[in-house]
Amino acid sequence: MLIELAIGDAYGAGFEYADEMSADNDLSRYVKHPRHRLIPGSYTDDTQMSIAIAEVIVSQAPWTPQVLADSFVNCFKRDRREGYAGGFYDFLLNISDGKEFLAKIRPDSDKSGAAMRAGPIGIFSTPQKVIEAATIQAAITHNTPDGINAAVAAALMSHYFIYRLGTKRKLGQFLEGYVSGEWSKPWEGKVKSKGWMSVRAAITAVTRNHSMSELLRDGIAFTGDVDTVATIALAAGSCSEEIIQDIPMHLVNGLENGVYGRDYLIELDKQLMSLVDNKTS
Ligand SMILES: [Mg+2]
């Protein structure tokens, strides 16, 4: 899951709000964003914060705002990178730990930040546990109904596939049974910054594609906030037995591989997926 979402994020980063890049969406390479400084093949905040969440899950530490906020801060400080929204980047630069994070954050965003990092939470063994864990992590930064619902829906997407709860055609209906939103209504057109928009687009792409490569290309083709669409869609798609796992090898090999790059993600992925609760699946 983590390696796939990182590839989606890194690939999508070249196309984020850059409609003029659309002709390059052929999966042949990581493209350079026309305005951002990010090196092609580098992942962004979506992946770094998903790593922070996954590390807390794997460590089996208590699922508290403080532990989670510490992990967000730690992951950023040890591996600072472009791709965060400017205001949040400066915020992270100027605080020292999770305690200070919680004291100083204004947790009133309804954008996609809590949803983009929620995929790994699907590993928890029941929808109720997923909803509870996704809500606690979302409320740290996105304590609004839209911000939380988007995160819960994104976490339940991967849960649905990890635990084989149904066909991908029924994904939207499944989500509507647990969280408020028109999740089965197909998304069309550009994806703007609200979390539910990215999640709706990701559900649409997962539902209508049959391979990871089609899924990635289709998610990017929406245009707009597509690194987040691709992160959420590929996290879920990587767990679906109806989706052929065919991400091109040059995108796997081209993903950054520093201390927290490809090899780190593969290892953390193994630890995360080993926590699938086989008693309930
Ligand atoms: Mg991003």
Side-chain angles (χ1 to χ4, degrees):
M1 176 197 292
L2 296 170
I3 187 79
E4 288 89 353
L5 73 81
I7 291 168
D9 175 21
Y11 183 76
F15 298 92
E16 186 186 16
Y17 293 108
D19 296 10
E20 67 271 34
M21 297 301 292
S22 291
D24 291 292
N25 179 22
D26 60 5
L27 308 188
S28 63
R29 64 198 171 96
Y30 291 103
V31 301
K32 171 87 180 69
H33 192 281
R35 295 178 298 278
H36 300 166
R37 274 182 301 179
L38 209 66
I39 299 163
S42 308
Y43 61 72
T44 77
D45 53 348
D46 305 60
T47 300
Q48 188 165 70
M49 296 195 87
S50 296
I51 291 171
I53 293 271
E55 288 184 0
V56 175
I57 295 172
V58 165
S59 75
Q60 309 205 5
W63 195 262
T64 64
Q66 168 111 32
V67 169
L68 291 158
D70 269 330
S71 192
F72 295 153
V73 175
N74 174 47
C75 284
F76 174 78
K77 299 270 182 202
R78 75 188 185 190
D79 184 26
R80 223 183 270 175
R81 62 183 51 238
E82 305 284 320
Y84 284 85
F88 193 55
Y89 184 91
D90 293 336
F91 174 80
L92 287 169
L93 272 185
N94 289 310
I95 52 158
S96 56
D97 58 19
K99 194 167 173 222
E100 193 179 358
F101 183 113
L102 293 175
K104 294 190 173 163
I105 189 82
R106 278 189 42 207
D108 57 0
S109 175
D110 58 2
K111 297 195 164 52
S112 62
M116 72 185 188
R117 63 188 186 227
I121 296 169
I123 204 81
F124 287 116
S125 61
T126 65
Q128 286 69 28
K129 285 180 188 167
V130 171
I131 292 165
E132 188 189 358
T135 300
I136 290 169
Q137 73 82 15
I140 295 169
T141 48
H142 293 68
N143 198 5
T144 58
D146 277 352
I148 289 175
N149 287 343
V152 169
L156 284 173
M157 279 176 77
S158 56
H159 179 80
Y160 182 77
F161 293 123
I162 291 168
Y163 289 97
R164 311 277 184 252
L165 300 183
T167 61
K168 63 190 177 63
R169 204 166 52 80
K170 297 240 169 101
L171 171 63
Q173 274 171 268
F174 167 80
L175 297 172
E176 285 169 357
Y178 287 101
V179 54
S180 171
E182 293 180 304
W183 306 115
S184 57
K185 192 173 164 195
W187 179 266
E188 288 172 40
K190 187 172 193 160
V191 178
K192 296 188 189 156
S193 64
K194 299 276 173 74
W196 61 267
M197 298 173 175
S198 287
V199 176
R200 277 264 304 277
I203 294 165
T204 303
V206 166
T207 304
R208 71 187 181 195
N209 289 287
H210 304 284
S211 70
M212 291 292 270
S213 55
E214 291 169 20
L215 176 57
L216 178 53
R217 196 160 41 205
D218 195 30
I220 300 307
F222 284 114
T223 72
D225 193 4
V226 289
D227 59 329
T228 297
V229 174
T231 299
I232 296 169
L234 268 64
S238 71
C239 303
S240 169
E241 53 188 357
E242 287 178 88
I243 294 183
I244 301 162
Q245 300 299 313
D246 67 343
I247 293 179
M249 272 320 285
H250 58 268
L251 293 183
V252 178
N253 293 330
L255 186 68
E256 63 172 281
N257 199 23
V259 179
Y260 300 102
R262 184 177 67 241
D263 294 344
Y264 183 82
L265 288 161
I266 290 170
E267 181 54 36
L268 185 59
D269 236 341
K270 272 190 211 148
Q271 295 176 39
L272 180 69
M273 298 316 284
S274 75
L275 298 174
V276 174
D277 186 345
N278 293 310
K279 292 189 294 297
T280 62
S281 62

